[in-house]
Amino acid sequence: MTDGRAPRRAGGTDTVAAGRAAASRPVPGAGPRPVRGVGPAAPDADDRGSPRAAPARVPLPDTSGPRDVTPRLTAHGCWYPSADPAGAEVAFICDRGGVPQLWAGPVDGAGVRLLDSAPDPVREVSWSPDGRWIAYTTAPGGGEHQRVLCVRPDGTDRHILAGAEPATSAYLGCWAHDGSAVAVTVAVPTVPPSARDTTDLPDEADGYVGRLPAAGWSGRDGAAVLLGATAVTGEKRWTAPPTGITASDGPWHGPTSPRAGFGDGLSAYLIAPDGSAAPVLLATESDAATLRVCDLSRDGRLALLRRGPRGRREAVVVRTTDLATTYVVPVADGDPWIGRFSARADTVWLRSDAHREFAALVAVGLDREGRPRGWSAAAEREGGDLELLRFAHDGRAAVLAWNVRGASELEVVDTFPPGTARSLTGPPRSVPLPHEVVTRMVSAGPGRLVLALSGSQRRPGVWWLSEGVSLLRTPWSSRDEDAVPPGRPPVRPVPLSPTARDGLPLNGWYYRAPGRGPAEPAPCVIHLHGGPEEQERPVFNPLYHEILGRGLDIFAPDVRGSSGHGRSFVDADLGTGRFAALDDVADCAAHAVVAGPADPSRLAVMGRSYGGYLTFASLVRHPDLFRTGVAVCGMSDFATFFEGTEPWIAQSAAHKYGHPEHDRELLRSLSPMSRIDALRVPLLAVHGEHDTNVPPRESEQFVRAARERGHTAALLTLRDEGHEFLRADNRRLFRRTAADWLERHLSPH
């Protein structure tokens, strides 16, 4: 449904005293920071924008694994690498033990070691710049709430930095450049979950209004509404000026995100991993969507934050001496690591789509106080997004990963500060890739780069590049031949380009089941990704492999609202535009019949998260088009979804789908439950029992209603899983159950 593990939103721009002197001692190497919050002053002492109690260090027993490689799954994945300062070793996530866990080992040797054998899935990893610590996040029980932990590279001294308190969640930010502290965001729900019976639609009498945006919600051009483009009264912010205007022309007040009345209370701290100093507050805000500390200047003067709901992310430069906001600019969705300060903090480099269709590399010159001096696009591509941005340790070179029609193209460029006689970047140097998609990249010491790669023929793996040498696969990553059992090679998809009924160009990937003639009509599954701001990529998907092995084709399209095709395409499903997105599903199914070729009498629809919503909705809006559907973690009623989801997800979703109070009728008409009487075909729903992103009730109520109307409907609930299925045994159960269902209901009658 959303990039749920991305930490949440920062505050406004006025500086107010937060009144928490207990956290005022500075972290070594981070510069002096009085404890102040970022955000408008509260009207009373019960301010939900004031900082929460600083997290306490919680020691844990040693659960590092054996020094030898443990027996692995035949086909496993390795991803999210983070290198030590020398670039000789890498910490990474691997599911060779059946669940994503923290491992570390040399880039050129097989001697990897398990650093945390606990059963909680690991989400992110970050090795400290001084090499002494590895910070990482885990999701207890596989749900949406997270903890931030630290451990020594040898597996000792493991402890929780934040997120151990009940009802809290914690998210990882950047390290201070000297490794003395790591930034952590702590989230505390601002309103406790309602204890009432949630059968009926929420209204003010039920107490639901306390979680709704209070004001500032306005329409937009045409049918795209509910984006909250009205600026907050009294706020002043520096934002990227329109093309041709520089900061010297005075502040340009661009669109700002509204203050909302629901969300989580977020506080970002700098925390010393060894407990040698008290946590230091960097920013705080109530009712927030996202907040991540992406970089600190080397002298500790400035912090770079990422905040805001989906589709309206912002980069914020904060002066750490008084926590005043000096600059705000829109940045692209996707990877939360949006940029970095130059060595002297006279430039901030950003991955931004401000005033453009596709994200580019933007350079902003800064004065000593962190205010902008100029704004320029340093690298851009026609029709391609800058998807990932990383810098060498010395900041003199940038690594750019471009998204070109779903595949990645990698470049390295030298960087020069604005105002010099040179261009902002030197000529790009291309890096050939052995597989289609880069999912993460990190600097690994002088002249080295570590990449996480995926492709249509392989499991996710980690590769490393030493200057002047081609990319080399790490010995502990799966080989291509390990991706699938012998005799069933993975299928390489082909691109298709449908056209929606209103003329909008669409895109997708068609997978042809092995052994079927090129002109022979085949049963076909229309598979819809989540997000909506995600993109179908040509990567190996074990679910697709399972379905293709049953003789079923797959067409995986990007309907409007998907990323990778420009900002206008992402925004094309807003408000009443979502009805057109539902029509896109039918138009893509028709194109699969013509270009696949898919058998029009044997079509199914399937998707996860937002794709699960599209599945529910397609079955009741196009009841005669599909023979069956499989909805995974999908929303079936927007009223109950907003009522039950995480507060910060509700805030982001309101920007995307509509305001749950002011736009109740729109959301009701978009909700599959409102048209349940139109259902004609069997349905399988799948959900994780700990999903607090899209609560299990969304699947339960649809299945119950389908059965009450005499239809075949089943619900598979996966234990110890949240919104994503992370445990190997559960993933296998899900794949086989879904493929069995599709094969049975798409077989010839």
Side-chain angles (χ1 to χ4, degrees):
M1 210 287 295
T2 166
D3 50 343
R5 287 150 312 285
R8 309 165 185 188
R9 161 187 157 117
T13 58
D14 298 328
T15 303
V16 297
R20 296 280 183 138
S24 62
R25 186 154 56 98
V27 171
R33 294 177 182 85
V35 181
R36 292 179 174 267
V38 179
D44 54 54
D46 207 13
D47 174 23
R48 291 183 295 173
S50 62
R52 284 20 186 210
R57 187 176 189 270
V58 181
L60 296 171
D62 182 9
T63 60
S64 57
R67 301 282 74 84
D68 297 329
V69 178
T70 59
R72 67 178 191 179
L73 300 173
T74 303
H76 66 273
C78 298
W79 63 94
Y80 215 94
S82 183
D84 72 353
E89 290 211 335
V90 174
F92 58 97
I93 301 172
C94 184
D95 63 356
R96 67 175 63 205
V99 63
Q101 293 174 305
L102 178 65
W103 293 74
V107 295
D108 55 358
V112 294
R113 56 194 182 275
L114 179 63
L115 297 182
D116 186 346
S117 61
D120 295 332
V122 176
R123 292 277 177 77
E124 290 186 299
V125 181
S126 183
W127 206 312
S128 68
D130 61 5
R132 299 173 60 237
W133 294 96
I134 298 171
Y136 60 108
T137 60
T138 65
E144 300 308 301
H145 288 241
Q146 296 187 163
R147 293 175 174 175
V148 174
L149 298 88
C150 261
V151 67
R152 299 284 188 182
D154 63 359
T156 61
D157 200 7
R158 188 176 68 101
H159 58 275
I160 300 173
L161 285 183
E165 298 83 359
T168 66
S169 194
Y171 303 87
L172 188 60
C174 67
W175 285 91
H177 284 273
D178 62 0
S180 61
V182 63
V184 172
T185 298
V186 181
V188 180
T190 56
V191 176
S194 173
R196 67 180 181 85
D197 181 7
T198 58
T199 301
D200 299 325
L201 292 174
D203 54 35
E204 294 188 21
D206 295 321
Y208 182 75
V209 71
R211 296 178 62 186
L212 301 180
W217 293 80
S218 63
R220 240 187 76 158
D221 297 339
V225 296
L226 313 169
L227 292 182
T230 302
V232 180
T233 302
E235 283 199 356
K236 295 181 179 179
R237 19 179 102 185
W238 284 91
T239 60
T243 304
I245 299 178
T246 65
S248 61
D249 296 314
W252 175 68
H253 301 288
T256 61
S257 299
R259 284 190 58 78
F262 62 160
D264 277 359
L266 301 179
S267 298
Y269 295 90
L270 281 172
I271 301 178
D274 58 3
S276 61
V280 174
L281 184 69
L282 275 179
T284 189
E285 181 171 335
S286 63
D287 305 329
T290 58
L291 170 65
R292 187 186 293 257
V293 183
C294 294
D295 195 24
L296 298 165
S297 62
R298 293 181 181 273
D299 58 9
R301 289 186 297 110
L302 302 174
L304 176 64
L305 310 178
R306 173 189 180 261
R307 73 179 185 191
R310 308 182 349 229
R312 294 297 178 266
R313 309 291 191 197
E314 295 175 330
V316 182
V317 176
V318 173
R319 195 167 53 229
T320 58
T321 53
D322 58 2
L323 297 192
T325 296
T326 62
Y327 184 66
V328 179
V329 62
V331 291
D333 280 336
D335 186 59
W337 302 102
I338 56 173
R340 175 174 161 166
F341 294 110
S342 63
R344 295 182 298 179
D346 55 359
T347 305
V348 59
W349 299 90
L350 296 170
R351 183 180 61 85
S352 173
D353 60 355
H355 317 298
R356 61 184 65 246
E357 274 292 303
F358 293 92
L361 175 61
V362 172
V364 181
L366 302 176
D367 66 14
R368 181 67 185 172
E369 299 302 314
R371 294 185 294 261
R373 295 185 289 105
W375 182 85
S376 303
E380 56 188 326
R381 284 199 180 189
E382 183 73 26
D385 263 317
L386 178 58
E387 186 172 40
L388 299 174
L389 171 64
R390 295 295 184 272
F391 285 84
H393 284 307
D394 59 9
R396 296 179 181 177
V399 186
L400 315 176
W402 299 95
N403 181 338
V404 182
R405 296 178 296 279
S408 299
E409 294 184 8
L410 198 65
E411 293 178 340
V412 179
V413 296
D414 295 324
T415 58
F416 309 107
T420 63
R422 307 181 182 184
S423 300
L424 290 169
T425 60
R429 304 184 294 277
S430 296
V431 178
L433 296 173
H435 294 284
E436 289 97 327
V437 177
V438 180
T439 60
R440 181 169 167 80
M441 52 193 191
V442 293
S443 179
R448 274 194 174 185
L449 183 68
V450 173
L451 304 174
L453 298 179
S454 193
S456 60
Q457 308 298 299
R458 67 162 295 109
R459 298 272 179 165
V462 176
W463 296 60
W464 64 284
L465 173 72
S466 187
E467 193 168 6
V469 180
S470 61
L471 280 166
L472 302 173
R473 184 182 63 86
T474 53
W476 28 268
S477 292
S478 273
R479 301 168 298 174
D480 292 354
E481 54 266 33
D482 292 333
V484 295
R488 255 175 64 186
V491 173
R492 190 181 296 274
V494 296
L496 292 184
S497 300
T499 300
R501 62 191 64 184
D502 62 0
L504 183 68
L506 306 174
N507 293 274
W509 297 90
Y510 196 94
Y511 296 77
R512 186 69 163 161
R516 193 177 296 277
E520 180 185 356
C524 182
V525 179
I526 308 300
H527 190 276
L528 304 162
H529 63 67
E533 310 92 336
E534 293 180 13
Q535 182 184 12
E536 190 67 32
R537 311 296 292 270
V539 298
F540 178 76
N541 186 329
L543 171 65
Y544 291 4
H545 187 74
E546 183 77 31
I547 294 172
L548 292 164
R550 309 297 183 93
L552 313 178
D553 287 4
I554 297 171
F555 181 39
D558 289 331
V559 301
R560 69 190 69 200
S562 305
S563 62
H565 308 286
R567 170 53 57 187
S568 296
F569 194 84
V570 171
D571 285 349
D573 67 344
L574 297 176
T576 56
R578 196 151 318 278
F579 293 112
L582 295 173
D583 288 337
D584 289 347
V585 178
D587 295 340
C588 287
H591 190 81
V593 170
V594 174
D599 184 344
S601 66
R602 290 191 289 164
L603 296 176
V605 61
M606 178 180 183
R608 193 192 73 82
S609 192
Y610 177 70
Y613 159 74
L614 289 179
T615 298
F616 283 139
S618 296
L619 291 177
V620 298
R621 287 193 167 271
H622 309 292
D624 300 319
L625 180 59
F626 300 106
R627 186 179 282 190
T628 188
V630 178
V632 185
C633 300
M635 304 96 76
S636 63
D637 189 314
F638 278 113
T640 55
F641 162 71
F642 274 108
E643 186 177 64
T645 188
E646 297 281 355
W648 70 274
I649 295 175
Q651 190 191 71
S652 272
H655 284 261
K656 191 68 183 176
Y657 303 120
H659 190 292
E661 180 186 353
H662 304 158
D663 301 286
R664 185 174 298 185
E665 287 308 311
L666 170 64
L667 294 178
R668 189 196 302 271
S669 64
L670 287 168
S671 295
M673 285 296 295
S674 68
R675 301 173 64 96
I676 188 67
D677 289 334
L679 185 68
R680 298 285 185 271
V681 298
L683 166 84
L684 170 67
V686 185
H687 228 107
E689 67 167 337
H690 299 315
D691 189 351
T692 57
N693 184 326
V694 178
R697 174 185 176 182
E698 296 300 302
S699 289
E700 293 165 0
Q701 62 193 8
F702 197 92
V703 168
R704 185 183 304 113
R707 288 175 173 171
E708 290 171 352
R709 287 157 177 78
H711 302 299
T712 301
L715 173 62
L716 171 65
T717 298
L718 296 178
R719 304 301 180 190
D720 296 319
E721 297 288 4
H723 194 58
E724 295 186 20
F725 307 151
L726 300 174
R727 304 179 190 279
D729 53 350
N730 281 332
R731 294 199 305 267
R732 284 193 294 268
L733 175 61
F734 159 58
R735 293 195 300 265
R736 291 170 182 170
T737 303
D740 286 346
W741 181 277
L742 292 167
E743 184 179 19
R744 180 166 66 253
H745 290 284
L746 293 182
S747 61
H749 293 323

